[in-house]
Short mmCIF file of all heavy atoms in Angstrom, two decimals:
data_model
loop_
_atom_site.label_atom_id
_atom_site.label_comp_id
_atom_site.label_asym_id
_atom_site.label_seq_id
_atom_site.Cartn_x
_atom_site.Cartn_y
_atom_site.Cartn_z
N ALA R 1 8.35 3.27 3.86
CA ALA R 1 9.30 2.85 2.84
C ALA R 1 10.70 2.63 3.51
O ALA R 1 10.94 3.21 4.55
CB ALA R 1 9.41 3.86 1.72
N HIS R 2 11.52 1.83 2.90
CA HIS R 2 12.86 1.58 3.48
C HIS R 2 13.67 2.86 3.54
O HIS R 2 13.54 3.72 2.65
CB HIS R 2 13.58 0.56 2.61
CG HIS R 2 14.69 -0.16 3.31
ND1 HIS R 2 15.91 0.46 3.58
CD2 HIS R 2 14.80 -1.40 3.85
CE1 HIS R 2 16.69 -0.41 4.20
NE2 HIS R 2 16.03 -1.54 4.38
N GLY R 3 14.44 3.02 4.58
CA GLY R 3 15.24 4.21 4.78
C GLY R 3 16.20 4.54 3.63
O GLY R 3 16.54 5.68 3.38
N SER R 4 16.66 3.47 2.97
CA SER R 4 17.61 3.66 1.89
C SER R 4 16.98 3.49 0.50
O SER R 4 17.60 3.10 -0.46
CB SER R 4 18.78 2.66 1.99
OG SER R 4 18.32 1.34 2.03
N SER R 5 15.67 3.81 0.45
CA SER R 5 14.90 3.61 -0.80
C SER R 5 15.49 4.41 -1.93
O SER R 5 15.82 5.63 -1.77
CB SER R 5 13.46 3.99 -0.55
OG SER R 5 12.80 3.10 0.30
N ASN R 6 15.58 3.78 -3.10
CA ASN R 6 15.93 4.49 -4.33
C ASN R 6 14.66 4.82 -5.08
O ASN R 6 13.53 4.53 -4.58
CB ASN R 6 16.89 3.65 -5.21
CG ASN R 6 16.35 2.26 -5.48
OD1 ASN R 6 15.13 2.04 -5.42
ND2 ASN R 6 17.23 1.33 -5.79
N ALA R 7 14.77 5.33 -6.27
CA ALA R 7 13.58 5.70 -7.03
C ALA R 7 12.67 4.51 -7.32
O ALA R 7 11.42 4.63 -7.25
CB ALA R 7 14.01 6.37 -8.35
N HIS R 8 13.29 3.37 -7.63
CA HIS R 8 12.52 2.17 -7.91
C HIS R 8 11.71 1.71 -6.68
O HIS R 8 10.55 1.30 -6.81
CB HIS R 8 13.44 1.05 -8.38
CG HIS R 8 12.72 -0.29 -8.59
ND1 HIS R 8 11.73 -0.43 -9.54
CD2 HIS R 8 12.85 -1.49 -7.93
CE1 HIS R 8 11.28 -1.68 -9.47
NE2 HIS R 8 11.94 -2.32 -8.51
N ALA R 9 12.35 1.81 -5.52
CA ALA R 9 11.67 1.39 -4.27
C ALA R 9 10.45 2.28 -4.00
O ALA R 9 9.40 1.82 -3.57
CB ALA R 9 12.65 1.45 -3.11
N ILE R 10 10.62 3.58 -4.22
CA ILE R 10 9.49 4.50 -4.01
C ILE R 10 8.39 4.23 -5.02
O ILE R 10 7.22 4.23 -4.66
CB ILE R 10 9.98 5.97 -4.10
CG1 ILE R 10 10.96 6.29 -2.96
CG2 ILE R 10 8.76 6.92 -4.03
CD1 ILE R 10 10.36 6.16 -1.56
N GLU R 11 8.78 3.96 -6.24
CA GLU R 11 7.77 3.65 -7.29
C GLU R 11 6.97 2.38 -6.91
O GLU R 11 5.74 2.40 -7.04
CB GLU R 11 8.52 3.40 -8.61
CG GLU R 11 7.54 3.01 -9.75
CD GLU R 11 8.29 2.54 -11.01
OE1 GLU R 11 9.49 2.24 -10.90
OE2 GLU R 11 7.65 2.48 -12.07
N THR R 12 7.69 1.37 -6.41
CA THR R 12 7.03 0.14 -6.00
C THR R 12 6.10 0.39 -4.84
O THR R 12 4.97 -0.15 -4.80
CB THR R 12 8.05 -0.93 -5.62
OG1 THR R 12 9.00 -1.11 -6.69
CG2 THR R 12 7.41 -2.24 -5.32
N THR R 13 6.55 1.21 -3.88
CA THR R 13 5.70 1.52 -2.71
C THR R 13 4.43 2.30 -3.11
O THR R 13 3.37 2.07 -2.55
CB THR R 13 6.52 2.28 -1.68
OG1 THR R 13 7.71 1.56 -1.35
CG2 THR R 13 5.72 2.51 -0.41
N VAL R 14 4.60 3.25 -4.04
CA VAL R 14 3.45 4.01 -4.51
C VAL R 14 2.44 3.07 -5.16
O VAL R 14 1.20 3.17 -4.89
CB VAL R 14 3.90 5.13 -5.53
CG1 VAL R 14 2.63 5.74 -6.22
CG2 VAL R 14 4.68 6.18 -4.84
N ALA R 15 2.92 2.11 -5.98
CA ALA R 15 1.99 1.17 -6.62
C ALA R 15 1.34 0.27 -5.58
O ALA R 15 0.13 -0.04 -5.72
CB ALA R 15 2.81 0.27 -7.59
N GLN R 16 2.09 -0.07 -4.51
CA GLN R 16 1.51 -0.86 -3.42
C GLN R 16 0.42 -0.09 -2.72
O GLN R 16 -0.69 -0.68 -2.44
CB GLN R 16 2.64 -1.16 -2.44
CG GLN R 16 2.16 -1.86 -1.16
CD GLN R 16 3.26 -1.82 -0.08
OE1 GLN R 16 4.24 -1.07 -0.20
NE2 GLN R 16 3.12 -2.64 0.96
N VAL R 17 0.62 1.17 -2.44
CA VAL R 17 -0.35 1.95 -1.74
C VAL R 17 -1.61 2.19 -2.58
O VAL R 17 -2.75 2.18 -2.08
CB VAL R 17 0.25 3.34 -1.32
CG1 VAL R 17 -0.81 4.27 -0.85
CG2 VAL R 17 1.30 3.10 -0.23
N ILE R 18 -1.42 2.40 -3.90
CA ILE R 18 -2.57 2.55 -4.77
C ILE R 18 -3.46 1.30 -4.72
O ILE R 18 -4.67 1.36 -4.64
CB ILE R 18 -2.12 2.82 -6.23
CG1 ILE R 18 -1.48 4.21 -6.34
CG2 ILE R 18 -3.28 2.67 -7.23
CD1 ILE R 18 -0.87 4.50 -7.67
N ALA R 19 -2.78 0.10 -4.72
CA ALA R 19 -3.51 -1.15 -4.67
C ALA R 19 -4.25 -1.29 -3.32
O ALA R 19 -5.37 -1.79 -3.27
CB ALA R 19 -2.54 -2.32 -4.85
N MET R 20 -3.60 -0.79 -2.24
CA MET R 20 -4.25 -0.83 -0.91
C MET R 20 -5.52 0.05 -0.88
O MET R 20 -6.54 -0.35 -0.35
CB MET R 20 -3.26 -0.36 0.13
CG MET R 20 -2.13 -1.33 0.40
SD MET R 20 -0.89 -0.66 1.57
CE MET R 20 -1.88 -0.61 3.10
N VAL R 21 -5.37 1.25 -1.43
CA VAL R 21 -6.55 2.19 -1.43
C VAL R 21 -7.66 1.66 -2.32
O VAL R 21 -8.86 1.64 -1.91
CB VAL R 21 -6.10 3.59 -1.88
CG1 VAL R 21 -7.30 4.49 -2.03
CG2 VAL R 21 -5.10 4.17 -0.88
N GLU R 22 -7.29 1.21 -3.54
CA GLU R 22 -8.31 0.66 -4.44
C GLU R 22 -8.93 -0.60 -3.91
O GLU R 22 -10.12 -0.91 -4.17
CB GLU R 22 -7.68 0.43 -5.79
CG GLU R 22 -7.30 1.70 -6.51
CD GLU R 22 -6.69 1.44 -7.87
OE1 GLU R 22 -6.30 0.27 -8.15
OE2 GLU R 22 -6.64 2.40 -8.69
N GLY R 23 -8.16 -1.37 -3.14
CA GLY R 23 -8.68 -2.62 -2.55
C GLY R 23 -9.43 -2.41 -1.26
O GLY R 23 -9.94 -3.35 -0.66
N ASN R 24 -9.52 -1.12 -0.82
CA ASN R 24 -10.28 -0.78 0.40
C ASN R 24 -9.83 -1.57 1.60
O ASN R 24 -10.61 -2.23 2.31
CB ASN R 24 -11.76 -0.96 0.18
CG ASN R 24 -12.61 -0.41 1.32
OD1 ASN R 24 -12.21 0.49 2.05
ND2 ASN R 24 -13.81 -0.98 1.47
N ILE R 25 -8.50 -1.52 1.90
CA ILE R 25 -7.94 -2.28 2.97
C ILE R 25 -8.57 -1.97 4.32
O ILE R 25 -8.96 -2.82 5.10
CB ILE R 25 -6.40 -2.05 3.06
CG1 ILE R 25 -5.70 -2.65 1.83
CG2 ILE R 25 -5.84 -2.68 4.33
CD1 ILE R 25 -5.88 -4.11 1.71
N ILE R 26 -8.74 -0.64 4.61
CA ILE R 26 -9.32 -0.23 5.86
C ILE R 26 -10.75 -0.79 6.01
O ILE R 26 -11.09 -1.31 7.08
CB ILE R 26 -9.37 1.32 5.95
CG1 ILE R 26 -7.94 1.90 5.77
CG2 ILE R 26 -9.97 1.73 7.32
CD1 ILE R 26 -6.95 1.49 6.81
N GLY R 27 -11.52 -0.72 4.97
CA GLY R 27 -12.85 -1.24 4.99
C GLY R 27 -12.93 -2.74 5.22
O GLY R 27 -13.73 -3.25 6.00
N LYS R 28 -12.01 -3.48 4.56
CA LYS R 28 -11.99 -4.92 4.70
C LYS R 28 -11.55 -5.37 6.10
O LYS R 28 -12.05 -6.37 6.64
CB LYS R 28 -11.07 -5.55 3.63
CG LYS R 28 -11.70 -5.56 2.24
CD LYS R 28 -10.83 -6.27 1.25
CE LYS R 28 -11.58 -6.56 -0.01
NZ LYS R 28 -12.25 -5.43 -0.64
N ILE R 29 -10.62 -4.61 6.70
CA ILE R 29 -10.23 -4.94 8.06
C ILE R 29 -11.38 -4.69 9.03
O ILE R 29 -11.62 -5.48 9.94
CB ILE R 29 -8.99 -4.13 8.49
CG1 ILE R 29 -7.74 -4.55 7.68
CG2 ILE R 29 -8.70 -4.25 9.98
CD1 ILE R 29 -6.50 -3.71 7.95
N ASN R 30 -12.09 -3.60 8.80
CA ASN R 30 -13.25 -3.30 9.61
C ASN R 30 -14.35 -4.39 9.51
O ASN R 30 -14.93 -4.77 10.49
CB ASN R 30 -13.86 -1.95 9.22
CG ASN R 30 -13.23 -0.78 9.92
OD1 ASN R 30 -12.88 -0.86 11.13
ND2 ASN R 30 -12.98 0.32 9.23
N GLU R 31 -14.54 -4.86 8.28
CA GLU R 31 -15.54 -5.94 8.05
C GLU R 31 -15.13 -7.18 8.81
O GLU R 31 -16.02 -7.85 9.41
CB GLU R 31 -15.64 -6.20 6.54
CG GLU R 31 -16.32 -5.14 5.76
CD GLU R 31 -16.26 -5.40 4.29
OE1 GLU R 31 -15.86 -6.55 3.90
OE2 GLU R 31 -16.64 -4.51 3.47
N SER R 32 -13.85 -7.53 8.75
CA SER R 32 -13.35 -8.70 9.42
C SER R 32 -13.52 -8.60 10.93
O SER R 32 -13.90 -9.56 11.63
CB SER R 32 -11.90 -8.94 9.06
OG SER R 32 -11.40 -10.17 9.63
N LEU R 33 -13.23 -7.39 11.47
CA LEU R 33 -13.39 -7.16 12.88
C LEU R 33 -14.82 -7.29 13.33
O LEU R 33 -15.15 -7.85 14.34
CB LEU R 33 -12.85 -5.76 13.23
CG LEU R 33 -11.34 -5.57 13.23
CD1 LEU R 33 -10.99 -4.08 13.39
CD2 LEU R 33 -10.66 -6.37 14.31
#
C-alpha cells in the first residue's frame, strides 16, 4: 500500500486483495507458466 495511505486507501487495498485471493491469482499465474 502507498506509504501515505489514509483509511480509504487501505480499504481499497483490502478489497483489491480479496479480489486477488478469490480470483486465485497465484494459481492462474502458475497455469500460464
